[in-house]
Amino acid sequence: MALIWIYPSLFFLLHLLTPILALRTYPENEVTLLDSMSALGDLGWEAYPAEGWEEISVMDERNTPMRTYQVCNVMEANQNNWLRTRHIARDGAQRVYVEIKFTLRDCNSLPGVPGTCKETFNMYYFESNNPSLWYIKESQYVKIDTIAADESFTQVDVGDRVMKLNTEVRDISNLSKKGFYLAFQDVGACIALVSVRVFYKKCPLSVVNLAQFPDTVTGGDSALVEVRGACVNESEEAEPPRMYCSADGGWLVPIGRCVCKPGFEEHKDYCQREYPLPSAHEGL
């Protein structure tokens, strides 16, 4: 194993990255199902075999522990190290997104490595109604993609305090069971998995043409989801209001509208009672 002499480099980079990661904010139309950066204690993910992925803790600038996983078995061929998350309830979403942030060591910068070092790793998922699986059965998992680093770091980068954090986003479509497990397979890379975030997109509650459209989860593929609107207070349908929720979590193509009932007038997104102008003799 080559962990002893590579750990300091990974730790150093993680300390440089924590101020950036701690300040992350997310769009209104994204609902987070899992965020490893928000874990208060051990993530408790399953790693197999034991000498593969290792959970470590670093402190961010607020003295809050950050949990990450790393592996660096680059001296031995035929690596097959698996890391599996806990069960992730899909919350009714049919399509979810996986955002990973990681650092990866340039194999050419590792002295004495006999050609067994890799610069990619694999990501898988397994749908399940069982939230308590403790084992990893590789044949059950569906491959999402092979993940490669746009930028890999060297010992020179560490010395120059240069941060090279990679971010990749993949999606999983047409989910149907209660939840799923994510898994990461290392085949011989020197990598620190800094952050894993799983989320889905929704079209947020909105009022258009005096019709209210509720929070709506996007569809399981790229198809639009048609949503019927409900007229706001003191309004009624002139034509049935409809809109379409896009796969990106945006509302499209408003059709129909509501109008204020007699005696009420439109004011921004609602109807308010009309107040007649005072007559000339009022107030005298």
Side-chain angles (χ1 to χ4, degrees):
M1 295 173 59
L3 290 171
I4 294 177
W5 50 271
I6 196 63
Y7 265 8
S9 299
L10 292 176
F11 272 122
F12 191 82
L13 282 179
L14 288 174
H15 279 293
L16 292 178
L17 294 168
T18 49
I20 296 174
L21 294 169
L23 298 175
R24 295 189 300 173
T25 57
Y26 306 126
E28 178 190 11
N29 67 343
E30 295 181 1
V31 179
T32 299
L33 298 174
L34 168 70
D35 187 354
S36 65
M37 295 293 295
S38 65
L40 298 178
D42 292 354
L43 291 171
W45 296 354
E46 295 291 335
Y48 177 84
E51 62 271 15
W53 292 90
E54 180 178 1
E55 185 173 6
I56 62 172
S57 180
V58 295
M59 306 298 287
D60 67 16
E61 81 285 358
R62 295 170 299 183
N63 251 3
T64 302
M66 262 175 42
R67 308 301 298 180
T68 65
Y69 277 90
Q70 66 180 26
V71 64
C72 193
N73 296 348
V74 295
M75 298 298 290
E76 301 173 5
N78 303 316
Q79 292 295 310
N80 184 30
N81 304 304
W82 283 72
L83 174 67
R84 195 210 68 189
T85 69
R86 59 172 175 80
H87 188 259
I88 305 169
R90 66 183 178 91
D91 194 25
Q94 300 176 57
R95 184 183 192 183
V96 301
Y97 298 82
V98 182
E99 177 197 78
I100 55 175
K101 296 181 182 291
F102 64 97
T103 60
L104 190 142
R105 182 69 183 255
D106 182 346
C107 286
N108 291 328
S109 72
L110 294 171
V113 175
T116 55
C117 180
K118 302 291 190 297
E119 294 186 0
T120 63
F121 62 99
N122 300 315
M123 184 161 62
Y124 294 80
Y125 78 99
F126 170 55
E127 274 199 273
S128 175
N129 292 323
N130 187 348
S132 304
L133 291 179
W134 59 270
Y135 59 87
I136 297 175
K137 189 175 181 180
E138 297 177 23
S139 61
Q140 293 179 319
Y141 285 77
V142 178
K143 187 174 182 179
I144 300 173
D145 203 0
T146 295
I147 308 298
D150 292 328
E151 293 187 287
S152 54
F153 74 92
T154 67
Q155 192 62 39
V156 174
D157 295 319
V158 176
D160 293 341
R161 301 178 65 86
V162 175
M163 296 174 289
K164 291 189 174 180
L165 182 67
N166 297 276
T167 302
E168 296 289 338
V169 179
R170 300 293 187 270
D171 68 275
I172 310 170
S173 297
N174 300 314
L175 295 171
S176 59
K177 295 187 177 180
K178 291 181 180 179
F180 58 96
Y181 296 87
L182 279 180
F184 304 92
Q185 180 197 29
D186 163 59
V187 291
C190 193
I191 182 173
L193 195 57
V194 178
S195 167
V196 178
R197 178 176 171 246
V198 180
F199 62 94
Y200 66 87
K201 295 185 179 183
K202 67 174 183 177
C203 294
L205 183 147
S206 182
V207 176
V208 178
N209 295 335
L210 294 179
Q212 179 174 290
F213 296 86
D215 279 340
T216 300
V217 179
T218 59
D221 48 32
S222 59
L224 301 177
V225 177
E226 182 177 335
V227 181
R228 178 75 177 265
C231 292
V232 299
N233 66 312
E234 305 301 341
S235 68
E236 55 192 6
E237 289 185 1
E239 180 185 349
R242 293 174 292 151
M243 275 209 298
Y244 292 88
C245 178
S246 73
D248 292 328
W251 290 108
L252 302 174
V253 198
I255 301 171
R257 65 174 293 111
C258 300
V259 295
C260 293
K261 295 177 181 179
F264 293 84
E265 61 184 0
E266 184 174 342
H267 178 73
K268 296 183 179 179
D269 291 331
Y270 65 94
C271 295
Q272 66 179 13
R273 187 173 294 278
E274 293 178 345
Y275 293 98
L277 294 173
S279 60
H281 64 275
E282 285 183 3
L284 298 179

